[in-house]
Amino acid sequence: MGVNSYGLRANVAGWATRMEKRLPLDSDEALAVSEKTLAREIRRHGPAHSRSVNAMDKVANCLVKSGRLEESSEIRKNTLAMRQLHFGQNIEETLNTEYWLSRTLIDLGRSDEAKPYLREVVASWSVILGQEFTATVDALQWPNEVKQLVLGEG
């Protein structure tokens, strides 16, 4: 009886993901694990597959935790483009990616660049939630500095 290498790799990858959630990793270790996961998913499924795009998003999150905001913003832009192209604008994953891109841009001091992304997110959530623009922003429970940017008060 031969060993199914794909099944074995999947089991090991699943185990590693479960262990990652249990064991606290420092930001550099988490980034290294995320980058390896991204490389594996791209190799296995291609760059446009949802698993690869999710792995890209995780790398961006790790870069933020490592203080590497500029790199994170570039990966978030790529992730957003992939999600919009392959999955559409008005789905939660796309909107979350767009929101976190805007937050990264705000943290980089590029609020003017973040505003169109934030406004697009609010417009899409308004369609989904069926609420007024300002009510949607309140419903999303965003930090005040983000609300001020979106509502034109900042």
Side-chain angles (χ1 to χ4, degrees), residues 95-135:
L95 296 172
N96 286 338
T97 299
E98 193 163 16
Y99 171 75
W100 286 109
L101 168 60
S102 66
R103 288 297 306 272
T104 303
L105 292 170
I106 290 167
D107 291 343
L108 284 166
R110 294 165 32 196
S111 298
D112 288 342
E113 190 178 345
K115 284 180 189 180
Y117 292 113
L118 286 170
R119 290 206 167 102
E120 177 63 35
V121 169
V122 171
S124 295
W125 275 116
S126 295
V127 169
I128 293 167
L129 299 175
Q131 298 177 339
E132 294 291 323
F133 188 76
T134 55

Side-chain angles (χ1 to χ4, degrees), residues 65-78:
K65 290 177 184 173
S66 295
R68 295 163 59 183
L69 299 178
E70 190 63 48
E71 291 172 81
S72 176
S73 71
E74 292 306 313
I75 289 176
R76 289 192 195 281
K77 286 177 184 177
N78 291 333

